[in-house]
Amino acid sequence: MSQTFRISRRAGLALAIAASWVLTIPGAALAQGARDPGAEQYIQVQGQRVLTLLSDRSLNWPDKLRAFRSVVDQIADVPRITRFVLGKYARTATPAQREQFDTLFRAYAQNVYADRLNNYHGEIIKVIGSVARNPGDVIVDSAVSGGKLDHPEHVGWRVLNSGGGWKIVDVEVSGVWLAITQQQDFVSTIDNAHGDVGVLIAQLQNDVKRHESVRQ
């Protein structure tokens, strides 16, 4: 199993869905700001939408995965996520590599996160607060409870609104912001390959193929 696949699974619950796509660490020195009701409502509705979808026993797994991917494309800023996780190598990758990576990362992330979320059955999400870092940049706190959970689990969400509506850009579980972790993993992989983005692309290809073969 590749390094990137192993670390992503360890990170846990997420929407790809996911990442702090401005170049600051979301957990670092958050300035206290007013709560944002709009951001909170967005997470309340969309977070429950995802949990309800993945708890739907009337759908077989292929149909559920297709529906999940469609939802992710609607509620997460996937292009921003994809740029961020390449870190410094987003500037040096060739256009062909970027196109290949964009396709693979979308499938890879959605597969991993759907697998993790598929462990949830009948849970509910409750937003418990938010902090506006800047206008249109909000951290929303929530608790997921019920279903198979023995106790509520804290989930943090970073959402951005640049004028076209809210989009999820990162998810935090157990103190880990998944975007930062994913970027560190990917950049480390490319660093160890002496800057060869193709090595990461090959790993993602293997991970996506492995996932597809397991699900067949």
Side-chain angles (χ1 to χ4, degrees), residues 104-115:
L104 286 168
F105 177 71
R106 180 185 295 265
Y108 163 80
Q110 291 176 348
N111 286 341
V112 171
Y113 300 151
D115 280 349

Side-chain angles (χ1 to χ4, degrees), residues 2-5 85-87 89 97 101 104-105 108 182-183 185-191 193 195-207:
S2 72
Q3 178 191 33
T4 54
F5 188 79
V85 294
L86 272 179
Y89 293 106
Q97 287 175 326
F101 178 80
L104 286 168
F105 177 71
Y108 163 80
Q182 192 71 82
Q183 187 199 69
D185 295 345
F186 284 179
V187 170
S188 176
T189 295
I190 301 172
D191 283 344
D196 186 355
V197 177
V199 170
L200 175 61
I201 289 173
Q203 286 193 8
L204 292 181
Q205 285 175 324
N206 290 334
D207 287 330

Side-chain angles (χ1 to χ4, degrees), residues 138-156:
V138 181
I139 302 294
V140 179
D141 291 322
S142 71
V144 177
S145 61
K148 294 184 176 181
L149 297 177
D150 295 329
H151 53 81
E153 292 188 356
H154 172 268
V155 181

Side-chain angles (χ1 to χ4, degrees), residues 3-126:
Q3 178 191 33
T4 54
F5 188 79
R6 180 174 64 252
I7 292 175
S8 291
R9 282 189 175 277
R10 186 188 66 205
L13 173 67
L15 295 175
I17 277 100
S20 171
W21 313 122
V22 279
L23 301 181
T24 57
I25 299 176
L30 286 180
Q32 291 296 321
R35 291 177 62 165
D36 191 306
E40 293 183 17
Q41 178 67 10
Y42 185 77
I43 291 302
Q44 182 65 58
V45 172
Q46 301 303 338
Q48 191 60 54
R49 178 185 180 190
V50 171
L51 289 177
T52 300
L53 168 63
L54 293 175
S55 297
D56 187 349
R57 298 181 183 275
S58 68
L59 296 175
N60 59 32
W61 177 251
D63 288 342
K64 187 178 291 188
L65 183 57
R66 280 192 291 271
F68 174 78
R69 288 175 172 174
S70 177
V71 170
V72 168
D73 284 340
Q74 295 170 36
I75 69 176
D77 192 339
V78 178
R80 186 186 292 266
I81 291 169
T82 307
R83 291 193 302 272
F84 180 81
V85 294
L86 272 179
K88 62 186 178 182
Y89 293 106
R91 297 188 299 271
T92 61
T94 67
Q97 287 175 326
R98 283 296 306 274
E99 182 177 359
Q100 202 173 6
F101 178 80
D102 289 355
T103 300
L104 286 168
F105 177 71
R106 180 185 295 265
Y108 163 80
Q110 291 176 348
N111 286 341
V112 171
Y113 300 151
D115 280 349
R116 302 302 298 180
L117 284 164
N118 200 42
N119 294 326
Y120 289 75
H121 298 284
E123 286 76 12
I124 60 172
I125 185 172
K126 181 179 180 180

Side-chain angles (χ1 to χ4, degrees), residues 126-137:
K126 181 179 180 180
V127 168
I128 56 180
S130 64
V131 176
R133 293 167 52 91
N134 292 296
D137 181 357

